[in-house]
Amino acid sequence: FTSFLHLPGTSEEVAPPLQQSFMIPKKEINMVSDMAKWKRSQAYADYMGFILTLNEGVRGKKLTCEYKVSEPIEKLVALLNTLDRWIDETPPVDQPSRFGNKAFRTWYAKLDQEAEKLVATVIPKHLADAAPEVAVYLKESVGNSTRIDYGTGHEAAFAAFLCCLCKIGVLRVDDQMAIVFKVFNRYLEVMRKLQKTYRMEPAGSQGVWGLDDFQFLPFIWGSSQLIDHPNLEPRHFVDEKVVNENHKDFMFLECILFITEMKTGPFAEHSNQLWNISAVPSWSKVNQGLIRMYKAE
């Protein structure tokens, strides 16, 4: 996997190891001291390598550009479309509290039940043993059904889910752009619909000190998309007209649009960190800064 990660632009196939054994993931980071162990692990190296490889893969590219769409990518989009359809089939219930609509639990129970089957539609028969392991990351990626909340940890689980699919050879090096633009972008749409429909609480939000209530990766990859753009500078993303005209091309601006739909009041007050970022002179500086911030958080 790591070897394929460091072959940008080539489509050499890296043969998966023959003896792969799979296990159900369990929570290993339980206290602050476990973080050091995580940072030194192969899993961390794989995860960050995956994020950074995709960051390079989408550099300077629009969401609307041409790229290869393989069969596994199509199947992943179909999986996300199913989750979206289930939202339509599970309307919010009338309840006294405004946030955390309990219908989310009904929706989640369906995913919990079907996750392995859904994953099995994406992976080839000879890798069927991987489904129970990979499915855990999919289930973790949509929010917490007890608290009815969603945050960047859930987003990280979806990135880990995609990373697993790369490790077992389902997704390949020439799928890079489609992983971000087609699959991850569709995932974001479904998550926004969940957040809106069930009024989900932000999980572990740092409030005004955080970048965003719900997401982080689309700001990293989205800022990479904007590197060397001929006329869009970081200062422009706080301009409503610019966002409205360009959001279909750039993930970063899609995120800004969603924030302004969901929040009222001056942008500088409800999204102070992003407001500060708009003063950074270049998109490559924004991108580097966000990667540092992501690692720290």
Side-chain angles (χ1 to χ4, degrees):
F1 171 70
T2 350
S3 51
F4 115 38
L5 275 184
H6 297 302
L7 293 174
T10 68
S11 55
E12 278 175 53
E13 297 305 345
V14 177
L18 294 172
Q19 278 325 110
Q20 285 184 316
S21 59
F22 300 100
M23 57 184 278
I24 301 295
K26 64 181 201 296
K27 188 171 165 65
E28 295 281 6
I29 304 173
N30 298 302
M31 44 213 246
V32 175
S33 58
D34 294 334
M35 281 303 288
K37 198 168 71 178
W38 154 241
K39 284 259 167 103
R40 289 193 303 270
S41 69
Q42 185 59 45
Y44 177 83
D46 281 353
Y47 180 79
M48 283 314 300
F50 181 69
I51 301 300
L52 295 174
T53 299
L54 294 174
N55 188 57
E56 282 308 304
V58 301
R59 188 184 173 120
K61 309 268 198 331
K62 292 181 175 183
L63 284 168
T64 47
C65 75
E66 291 285 313
Y67 49 84
K68 173 185 173 267
V69 179
S70 64
E71 195 182 345
I73 293 285
E74 295 283 15
K75 288 174 173 173
L76 281 165
V77 173
L79 181 158
L80 291 164
N81 290 344
T82 300
L83 301 189
D84 190 328
R85 192 183 74 244
W86 290 348
I87 302 174
D88 296 334
E89 292 166 5
T90 319
V93 294
D94 274 340
Q95 62 177 46
S97 66
R98 217 173 109 219
F99 284 95
N101 195 283
K102 289 181 181 62
F104 175 73
R105 292 180 182 148
T106 311
W107 179 90
Y108 184 86
K110 193 163 176 116
L111 173 62
D112 194 34
Q113 209 182 338
E114 302 284 330
E116 277 185 41
K117 270 192 221 142
L118 288 172
V119 170
T121 64
V122 178
I123 61 181
K125 291 272 189 291
H126 71 275
L127 289 169
D129 290 355
E133 178 172 335
V134 178
V136 174
Y137 294 102
L138 178 64
K139 288 193 286 194
E140 288 285 322
S141 73
V142 297
N144 181 287
S145 66
T146 311
R147 297 188 303 267
I148 315 182
D149 65 6
Y150 175 93
T152 49
H154 301 108
E155 175 192 78
F158 191 74
F161 166 68
L162 296 173
C163 186
C164 289
L165 293 175
C166 287
K167 286 199 70 130
I168 60 174
V170 173
L171 296 173
R172 312 197 181 252
V173 71
D174 53 356
D175 287 319
Q176 281 182 46
M177 284 171 67
I179 289 171
V180 180
F181 291 171
K182 212 160 171 64
V183 180
F184 195 81
N185 202 44
R186 184 72 186 106
Y187 164 75
L188 288 175
E189 289 168 1
V190 178
M191 292 309 104
R192 288 176 185 137
K193 188 165 168 177
L194 277 180
Q195 290 152 19
K196 263 185 177 162
T197 307
Y198 304 123
R199 301 299 298 266
M200 296 176 79
E201 300 271 9
S205 167
Q206 301 175 1
V208 77
W209 301 109
L211 185 68
D212 177 74
D213 280 342
F214 298 112
Q215 313 297 157
F216 202 118
L217 292 173
F219 292 96
I220 295 180
W221 295 332
S223 58
S224 181
Q225 282 186 278
L226 285 154
I227 290 172
D228 296 332
H229 192 285
N231 44 15
L232 288 181
E233 292 169 32
R235 63 190 172 92
H236 290 125
F237 78 73
V238 290
D239 178 339
E240 203 180 326
K241 185 171 181 288
V242 172
V243 172
N244 288 334
E245 284 170 9
N246 298 282
H247 70 93
K248 285 190 170 65
D249 284 323
F250 301 103
M251 252 180 186
F252 195 101
L253 302 182
E254 283 279 13
C255 291
I256 301 296
L257 186 69
F258 185 66
I259 292 170
T260 54
E261 273 176 21
M262 299 297 278
K263 298 195 166 185
T264 51
F267 191 88
E269 283 173 28
H270 62 62
S271 302
N272 190 256
Q273 286 282 43
L274 281 167
W275 177 257
N276 291 340
I277 285 170
S278 71
V280 175
S282 73
W283 284 111
S284 64
K285 282 269 187 293
V286 170
N287 187 246
Q288 290 158 13
L290 287 173
I291 290 167
R292 276 199 306 276
M293 188 174 169
Y294 190 63
K295 287 177 175 174
E297 287 189 12

